[in-house]
Amino acid sequence: MEYTKKLVYQSNYWYNDGLKRARIRDMSGAIGSLKKSLQYNSENIAARNLLGLVYYGRGEVGEALVEWILSKNFQSHENIANYYIKKLQENPTELEKVNQAIRKFNQSLDYCYQDGEDLAIIQLKKVVDAHPTFLKAYQLLSLLYIHTQQYGKAKHTLKAAHKLDTTNDITLRYMHEMNELRRKRAIKQAEKKEEKPQTVTYNIGNETIIQPASSGVKENAGLMTVINIIIGIVVGVAVMWFLIMPAVNRSTADRTNKQVREFSDRIAEQEAQISALQTELESYRATSEETENAQQTAKSTLDSYEIVLSMYDHYLNQDMSDSAMVEELLKVNADSLGTLGREQFDTMTGDIYSRYSEVLYSTAQENFQVANYADAITNLSTVMQMNEGYDDGQAMWLLAQAYEASGDTENANTWKQKVEENYPDIDTSGQTEDTGEEQ
């Protein structure tokens, strides 16, 4: 008992922490805290409902619905999750907008795979217009803006993403990258301003003369004039060639080398930035399939829970035929159900499948005896979905015989092989003899 109280206390502690974080739009932190709360107590209705609201606040409507349906499954009455689900169901237009936005987001990821950044940007603009709380769409759009060097638009988009979730790691990393790019551009501009030509100012009477400072070449040229007068033109040329020109060439070479090093540094810096952005882009591309699978799983879970809850009410009230209930229950993905949902599903199918399989099997035997193989195959196929090993493999063997009699050799051989593998000692003589007498 003491251990149970501690679990409940820890669950409530993390719920309160998640609530505080959600109030300041720390959605990522709130999700982490609420998941911890549910680890300690999976039936904490308040934590599960709040987790659904946080998902909804980030534009992840599918994940929000899953949490609210699970909450409804744990507590069907006096649960605010019923109100949330009802509001979504009453507004099919809004749900369709969300679905369209998710499809366009996935299409944008496909464009990124194909190096079609421009098309991806156009699609993502439509996504954030139709679904203004879709955090992942804002993040991908800002990444593409950075990748295409549209830094002003990237800054604006990142601000919108930051308002939705103030502590999201991806958003903060992109904002840091933008600050680094801005700082480097400011340093380069400051360096260009410092490169100004020097001047010399002097007065002649009342006039002020400003002219560029004399270079070393001109000073040396004056010295060369004196030397030329004294020594001669030949010696002056020799001095110019052997003393002045190497210095000038060396200075020019130094400037050229410096420029080459600067350009090399800039190119290396740009390549590093491009590599980092490409890595981020590839990570989005790699998660495209995972995102689509997660959405399909969420939809399957939602549909399965809705069917189980609806059919369980009909099962308890006994106001629906076995055939209609079987048709709906066969649509359920049992592996996606939680503990309580699976327990209700197993209770219903254990009872309904058993008696309805008997009815269909008996009907299929009658169909087979009068050579109505199409109906026999239909009835037996339904039996296989409910219980493939019904009547110790006799139903499976009859299905193989019906396919063979109808001329479908391929399916007949498939089911015969299953019978041989799973029921090698089955007695098939009775059915075969009856078939021969009727024909």
Side-chain angles (χ1 to χ4, degrees):
M1 190 65 181
E2 186 65 25
Y3 179 74
T4 304
K5 289 181 179 179
K6 287 182 179 179
L7 290 177
V8 172
Y9 172 81
Q10 286 294 326
S11 178
N12 291 337
Y13 169 81
W14 286 111
Y15 164 73
N16 291 329
D17 185 69
L19 182 61
K20 291 177 183 177
R21 293 178 183 274
R23 284 173 176 169
I24 61 174
R25 299 297 298 184
D26 177 9
M27 298 305 196
S28 296
I31 289 174
S33 296
L34 292 171
K35 284 184 176 180
K36 287 182 180 179
S37 174
L38 294 174
Q39 286 177 352
Y40 285 106
N41 180 12
S42 62
E43 298 183 12
N44 190 332
I45 302 302
R48 196 171 291 279
N49 289 339
L50 180 57
L51 180 58
L53 283 175
V54 172
Y55 278 134
Y56 187 82
R58 296 204 319 180
E60 301 172 13
V61 180
E63 289 80 353
L65 271 174
V66 170
E67 295 300 330
W68 291 334
I69 290 173
L70 288 173
S71 173
K72 179 181 177 181
N73 196 21
F74 284 117
Q75 181 179 320
S76 58
H77 301 290
E78 297 183 359
N79 188 342
I80 197 171
N82 294 324
Y83 171 78
Y84 298 147
I85 297 171
K86 182 180 178 182
K87 280 296 180 183
L88 283 175
Q89 292 175 340
E90 288 176 351
N91 195 354
T93 303
E94 188 65 26
L95 274 179
E96 181 59 26
K97 284 184 179 179
V98 172
N99 289 333
Q100 288 291 341
I102 293 173
R103 292 190 191 101
K104 290 180 180 178
F105 176 78
N106 291 332
Q107 182 64 51
S108 300
L109 289 173
D110 290 337
Y111 287 145
C112 292
Y113 274 120
Q114 302 163 10
D115 296 327
E117 285 81 1
D118 293 339
L119 293 175
I121 289 174
I122 292 172
Q123 283 287 64
L124 288 171
K125 285 181 180 178
K126 296 179 182 178
V127 171
V128 297
D129 286 340
H131 194 10
T133 61
F134 199 171
L135 177 63
K136 291 180 180 179
Y138 281 107
Q139 290 172 339
L140 181 56
L141 181 57
S142 62
L143 176 61
L144 290 172
Y145 278 143
I146 294 173
H147 185 66
T148 55
Q149 298 183 356
Q150 302 180 56
Y151 300 123
K153 294 180 179 179
K155 180 180 178 182
H156 177 74
T157 308
L158 285 172
K159 284 183 178 179
H162 188 252
K163 287 181 181 179
L164 292 174
D165 189 349
T166 57
T167 60
N168 187 270
D169 290 341
I170 295 176
T171 303
L172 294 176
R173 186 162 65 249
Y174 292 170
M175 294 178 75
H176 174 73
E177 181 66 24
M178 283 291 299
N179 291 333
E180 285 295 308
L181 291 172
R182 189 185 306 126
R183 182 182 65 81
K184 290 174 182 178
R185 289 202 304 272
I187 292 174
K188 290 177 182 178
Q189 291 175 357
E191 290 176 350
K192 289 180 180 179
K193 290 180 180 180
E194 290 177 358
E195 297 176 358
K196 294 181 178 180
Q198 297 180 354
T199 60
V200 175
T201 304
Y202 59 91
N203 296 323
I204 298 178
N206 294 328
E207 296 182 356
T208 300
I209 306 300
I210 301 175
Q211 68 178 24
S214 60
S215 64
V217 175
K218 290 185 178 181
E219 293 174 357
N220 290 332
L223 179 61
M224 286 295 96
T225 302
V226 175
I227 294 174
N228 287 335
I229 293 172
I230 299 172
I231 301 175
I233 296 175
V234 176
V235 177
V237 172
V239 171
M240 284 287 291
W241 184 261
F242 290 106
L243 296 179
I244 302 302
M245 292 306 296
V248 173
N249 291 336
R250 185 165 55 252
S251 176
T252 302
D254 290 341
R255 285 198 302 272
T256 302
N257 290 336
K258 182 179 179 181
Q259 291 177 349
V260 170
R261 287 195 299 270
E262 289 178 354
F263 280 119
S264 297
D265 291 341
R266 292 177 186 176
I267 291 172
E269 180 182 331
Q270 292 296 325
E271 287 179 349
Q273 292 175 2
I274 292 172
S275 177
L277 293 176
Q278 286 178 340
T279 301
E280 291 292 338
L281 191 58
E282 288 299 326
S283 68
Y284 268 105
R285 291 172 176 171
T287 57
S288 172
E289 184 176 351
E290 296 177 4
T291 302
E292 186 175 354
N293 291 338
Q295 292 169 354
Q296 292 176 353
T297 301
K299 185 178 184 305
S300 174
T301 302
L302 172 62
D303 294 342
S304 296
Y305 268 107
E306 289 289 354
I307 292 172
V308 170
L309 292 174
S310 175
M311 291 300 104
Y312 196 69
D313 289 339
H314 290 300
Y315 175 73
L316 294 178
N317 296 328
Q318 297 182 356
D319 58 358
M320 192 172 184
S321 66
D322 285 351
S323 60
M325 293 186 70
V326 167
E327 183 179 354
E328 292 299 314
L329 289 172
L330 289 176
K331 300 175 183 177
V332 173
N333 180 7
D335 294 334
S336 67
L337 300 174
T339 304
L340 183 57
R342 186 59 183 265
E343 182 179 341
Q344 293 178 346
F345 177 76
D346 291 341
T347 299
M348 288 187 291
T349 56
D351 183 16
I352 299 171
Y353 282 6
S354 177
R355 62 173 180 255
Y356 195 59
S357 293
E358 183 177 354
V359 171
L360 289 182
Y361 181 51
S362 177
T363 303
Q365 287 177 315
E366 294 174 1
N367 296 144
F368 188 85
Q369 294 299 330
V370 296
N372 185 1
Y373 303 122
D375 288 346
I377 290 172
T378 300
N379 292 327
L380 290 170
S381 296
T382 305
V383 173
M384 293 298 101
Q385 289 181 275
M386 294 186 289
N387 182 4
E388 195 171 83
Y390 183 76
D391 197 16
D392 295 328
Q394 291 292 340
M396 188 184 297
W397 175 250
L398 184 58
L399 178 59
Q401 294 296 309
Y403 272 123
E404 186 174 36
S406 67
D408 189 344
T409 307
E410 183 177 354
N411 276 318
N413 292 335
T414 299
W415 286 105
K416 282 182 179 181
Q417 185 176 356
K418 284 190 176 183
V419 172
E420 293 173 358
E421 291 175 353
N422 298 308
Y423 305 97
D425 299 328
I426 189 173
D427 181 11
T428 60
S429 58
Q431 291 181 0
T432 304
E433 290 175 0
D434 291 341
T435 302
E437 291 175 3
E438 289 294 327
Q439 293 178 348

